[in-house]
Amino acid sequence: MIYLSFILVILSIYLTKHTQLHSGVKWPIAAGLLLTALWLTQPLLGTAAAIVALVASVLLSGILVAMLIKRS
Amino acid sequence: MKSLTIKKLFQMHSWVGIVTGILLFIVAFTGAVAVFARPELIIWSNATGSELPREVAPQQVEQLVNEYSQHVPSEFTENIHIYMPTGYNYTELTLVFESHHGDENYDQPVAYAYEINSNTFALERQFYGLTGDYYEGRKYTAGAFIGHFHADLHLGRPVGLILTGFMGLTLMISVITGLYIHREMFKQLFTFRRDKSISVVTSDAHKLFGLWGSVFHFVIGFTGAFLGLATVILLPAAAYVSFNGDQDKLVETFTAMPEPVISEQYQATEIASIMTHISARDEKATLMDLTVMALNDKNSTVYARMLGGENFASELLEYQGNGDFSKAMSSFGDIGGWAITIIEWLFPLHFGNFSGVFVKILWGFLGLTTALIPLSGVMMWLSKRSRGNNSDLSAVAYQRWNRLIIGSCGGIVLACAVMFPAQVILNTTVHGVAQNSWFAPIFFGSWLAWLLLSVLPIDYRRLLRINLIIVAAALLLIVPLKIITIDGYLGFVLASDYRLVAGIDLSFVIIGSLFSYIVFQLKGSHAALSRKPLQQEVA
């Protein structure tokens, strides 16, 4: 479940940069994905740990998306 | 005025990076490895057969404590530490019976220690002597050695701690100045031109790691500075301000476990029921150790140190000897206030040990970016100085600088990689604490040898390739070595209780293969680069 939440975080970062969707659509979707990731990890890690892990996931996902996904 | 400020900050950013860059890489890289030291690498290092440390049943712990308490003088039962075989610090169930006031042989704290196999309950090692000697002389492992090196560079207190704490401060300064001077770069959050020249890739990676990881780097810098400087500068300063310089008084105030008052009335200390209650209270938390004050006395008190679970920071539980739960508190005792909460949070934020392996993987990768930022920064600085017709760094000097970086930074990577196959070999050739004397010569010897090699006038690109080949070979050698030295390794490697060790073995194979891949990639680019003059390359 934790790894699934990390995939959701990567997806949300990917969405914000690499899709042609309108800002009004992609930002709410990305935020929804992040909240879902938090909702998945909160029961497993506890609230504080889940938030810290989510922030760290966002940071690492940003680096991974920027480095590994080629710009179209 | 604004451009002048930016120029000054840029100079500050550059010079702080140049002066401390190599040391910062060394501290940050070993930190990224050390994230996995406790318990993962310690368990891995001690896995010499199919048996791994396992949880000991509460009734068994109580029975063993009572059994071994019969072997020590009565004053030693007033303070008993029971370390669980979790791998965080111990892989055996360890009972330390301590007398803070010494005994007939010593006038300092003295201890009887028993290290018991958690599978067979056989006594593996026993010790009698000064408490400090016991804790300093415990069995080391490759992972623990690297973790210790990260903490104080094996220079001890106060020099090592001040140095690593200072690295934390310089990291904070670099993050703040870097963000300010590169604030326009937020538009380039996703810019990474991997098909361009090495200079462009290095520059993009520096900005990418710096911008995305800035929060992490700042937190690591701040917490690292605190952990390094707290005991050597902040503690004496706090004692000077609030306790007239009396550090013992300060420590006593913040000690969560006061000395017991012995009643001399017998009452069995319910260790088993306390452990059962602890497990039921928070199933996900790890019981690190128990401290029993006044065993089997009416005034007996038991303290349990917990890690993880519902709590972000570690927690201390207090029980009465009869098994009644008294209270939960922080590691610093029953002291309230936001300052204590912040101090408590610094530890898990630095170590990344609050939520299992997943968070450790995040911390490990982000820690690697913390290490790569100063390295890429130094490379950018060198490249800039070597560029153009009026460069102030000659081609020979550029080569020397690169050899110095590969010798020191590549050397620390090599030394860390060599430690793991060495651990496998030591496990079959040297028994127990005798291994301790081998780690420093292997680690520092391989690092020094590599540094000396880098002094020779070898092309720095070739030197880098050799470095990567040795690292890859060392990591890929681990599994074959285990197959040869551990009887039936292939038979139990897939067993469910061996999953952690097998996972680490697999990680070594993956990382080793990745290094091999980089070597082959470099081989191609090396051939292309060697056809270009140096000035053209650095441009």
Side-chain angles (χ1 to χ4, degrees):
Chain A
M1 208 57 90
I2 289 175
Y3 294 93
L4 175 67
S5 78
F6 185 62
I7 291 168
L8 291 179
V9 174
I10 290 180
L11 209 60
S12 72
I13 301 289
Y14 177 80
L15 260 179
T16 57
K17 189 61 193 172
H18 292 281
T19 58
Q20 303 297 321
L21 290 171
H22 188 268
S23 302
V25 178
K26 69 178 177 185
W27 284 104
I29 294 174
L33 286 169
L34 289 180
L35 286 174
T36 310
L38 186 64
W39 177 73
L40 286 172
T41 50
Q42 192 275 334
L44 299 166
L45 310 180
T47 308
I51 292 169
V52 175
L54 182 75
V55 172
S57 300
V58 169
L59 303 181
L60 187 60
S61 301
I63 293 169
L64 290 177
V65 169
M67 289 186 83
L68 301 178
I69 297 173
K70 270 193 173 178
R71 306 179 90 185
S72 55
Chain B
M1 182 66 191
K2 199 176 176 185
S3 64
L4 191 69
T5 309
I6 289 177
K7 196 178 173 186
K8 281 180 181 171
L9 285 175
F10 186 79
Q11 281 180 336
M12 191 181 181
H13 184 77
S14 299
W15 283 107
V16 166
I18 296 306
V19 172
T20 63
I22 290 175
L23 190 56
L24 194 53
F25 175 88
I26 289 165
V27 175
F29 177 79
T30 50
V33 179
V35 165
F36 302 98
R38 292 165 207 275
E40 291 83 9
L41 287 174
I42 289 183
I43 292 175
W44 178 87
S45 297
N46 283 292
T48 53
S50 60
E51 281 182 353
L52 295 180
R54 66 182 181 91
E55 204 174 307
V56 181
Q59 290 75 15
Q60 190 70 47
V61 173
E62 186 176 304
Q63 187 193 322
L64 287 164
V65 171
N66 283 315
E67 182 187 326
Y68 281 96
S69 68
Q70 305 298 317
H71 300 191
V72 301
S74 60
E75 68 265 29
F76 284 79
T77 61
E78 290 172 18
N79 199 329
I80 307 169
H81 302 287
I82 308 165
Y83 297 102
M84 301 300 160
T86 54
Y88 280 95
N89 285 307
Y90 297 83
T91 49
E92 283 85 27
L93 176 72
T94 303
L95 312 178
V96 180
F97 297 85
E98 192 182 357
S99 167
H100 285 165
H101 313 291
D103 63 357
E104 70 272 19
N105 298 318
Y106 299 96
D107 55 2
Q108 293 174 57
V110 61
Y112 286 87
Y114 301 95
E115 295 177 2
I116 300 158
N117 188 305
S118 60
N119 289 282
T120 62
F121 307 122
L123 182 64
E124 297 274 341
R125 180 178 171 238
Q126 59 181 322
F127 171 92
Y128 164 70
L130 292 176
T131 310
D133 289 348
Y134 171 68
Y135 286 111
E136 278 177 25
R138 284 188 302 123
K139 184 175 177 285
Y140 244 64
T141 59
F145 185 90
I146 295 169
H148 192 171
F149 178 82
H150 167 71
D152 67 0
L153 304 170
H154 285 293
L155 293 173
R157 293 174 68 173
V159 179
L161 285 176
I162 289 175
L163 211 52
T164 50
F166 183 68
M167 285 301 107
L169 289 179
T170 59
L171 181 59
M172 285 165 66
I173 292 169
S174 298
V175 170
I176 294 166
T177 53
L179 281 178
Y180 190 78
I181 58 179
H182 293 307
R183 61 192 186 283
E184 298 297 318
M185 299 287 178
F186 278 100
K187 292 171 196 159
Q188 298 171 16
L189 266 176
F190 290 95
T191 302
F192 186 71
R193 292 162 287 180
R194 54 184 152 162
D195 300 326
K196 299 281 182 181
S197 68
I198 290 174
S199 297
V200 174
V201 171
T202 308
S203 170
D204 283 353
H206 185 78
K207 290 165 196 162
L208 198 67
F209 295 156
L211 291 171
W212 275 105
S214 54
V215 175
F216 179 82
H217 307 318
F218 187 84
V219 168
I220 290 296
F222 180 74
T223 53
F226 176 83
L227 293 173
L229 303 176
T231 51
V232 289
I233 292 178
L234 299 182
L235 196 66
Y240 180 77
V241 171
S242 305
F243 294 88
N244 293 324
D246 189 348
Q247 285 189 50
D248 292 337
K249 184 80 179 164
L250 183 145
V251 171
E252 199 179 296
T253 306
F254 286 89
T255 299
M257 301 179 206
E259 290 281 330
V261 178
I262 310 294
S263 71
E264 304 292 352
Q265 292 177 50
Y266 179 84
Q267 182 188 284
T269 304
E270 302 289 344
I271 295 171
S273 66
I274 289 170
M275 284 179 70
T276 308
H277 182 265
I278 288 167
S279 305
R281 192 173 178 274
D282 187 350
E283 286 177 357
K284 284 178 272 180
T286 304
L287 170 61
M288 305 285 286
D289 56 75
L290 289 170
T291 299
V292 181
M293 298 289 198
L295 180 72
N296 296 333
D297 186 273
K298 198 183 172 191
N299 287 345
S300 175
T301 313
V302 178
Y303 298 92
R305 195 178 301 278
M306 311 295 294
L307 187 73
E310 298 293 328
N311 287 290
F312 187 74
S314 63
E315 189 184 31
L316 199 65
L317 307 177
E318 185 185 311
Y319 288 85
Q320 297 304 311
N322 61 6
D324 289 346
F325 175 69
S326 298
K327 59 186 172 187
M329 52 190 160
S330 80
S331 312
F332 299 100
D334 199 12
I335 307 166
W338 57 269
I340 292 292
T341 308
I342 290 173
I343 291 171
E344 266 189 314
W345 275 48
L346 295 181
F347 295 86
L349 279 175
H350 191 81
F351 302 127
N353 61 357
F354 53 89
S355 286
V357 176
F358 170 71
V359 171
K360 287 193 167 194
I361 293 171
L362 290 179
W363 250 243
F365 276 107
L366 287 169
L368 216 51
T369 65
T370 310
L372 290 173
I373 284 179
L375 187 64
S376 53
V378 173
M379 286 168 71
M380 283 162 64
W381 184 83
L382 285 176
S383 175
K384 193 179 167 188
R385 297 237 153 186
S386 317
R387 207 176 291 154
N389 293 327
N390 297 322
S391 60
D392 53 1
L393 204 65
S394 67
V396 176
Y398 182 73
Q399 280 267 358
R400 282 182 187 151
W401 269 100
N402 275 302
R403 286 209 304 271
L404 173 71
I405 294 169
I406 296 165
S408 50
C409 300
I412 195 75
V413 179
L414 184 146
C416 287
V418 164
M419 290 290 275
F420 298 107
Q423 175 75 68
V424 179
I425 296 168
L426 284 174
N427 282 346
T428 55
T429 52
V430 184
H431 184 67
V433 289
Q435 285 187 4
N436 293 7
S437 58
W438 284 87
F439 292 116
I442 292 168
F443 184 81
F444 291 112
S446 54
W447 193 10
L448 186 67
W450 182 253
L451 263 171
L452 290 174
L453 189 73
S454 67
V455 172
L456 300 175
I458 305 169
D459 180 75
Y460 74 90
R461 289 169 299 221
R462 180 171 292 174
L463 199 68
L464 178 64
R465 274 195 68 213
I466 298 169
N467 182 278
L468 295 173
I469 288 169
I470 296 172
V471 172
L475 296 176
L476 291 172
L477 197 64
I478 293 168
V479 170
L481 272 175
K482 280 192 147 188
I483 292 169
I484 295 166
T485 58
I486 300 177
D487 285 339
Y489 171 75
L490 291 174
F492 53 74
V493 75
L494 294 175
S496 61
D497 56 350
Y498 208 73
R499 206 164 40 195
L500 175 69
V501 177
I504 295 171
D505 287 342
L506 182 65
S507 304
F508 283 134
V509 173
I510 292 169
I511 299 167
S513 305
L514 196 66
F515 271 89
S516 307
Y517 173 76
I518 296 169
V519 170
F520 284 111
Q521 289 290 102
L522 278 178
K523 195 179 176 184
S525 61
H526 181 186
L529 282 170
S530 59
R531 289 192 290 273
K532 293 181 188 175
L534 185 66
Q535 289 295 334
Q536 198 180 330
E537 179 208 329
V538 293

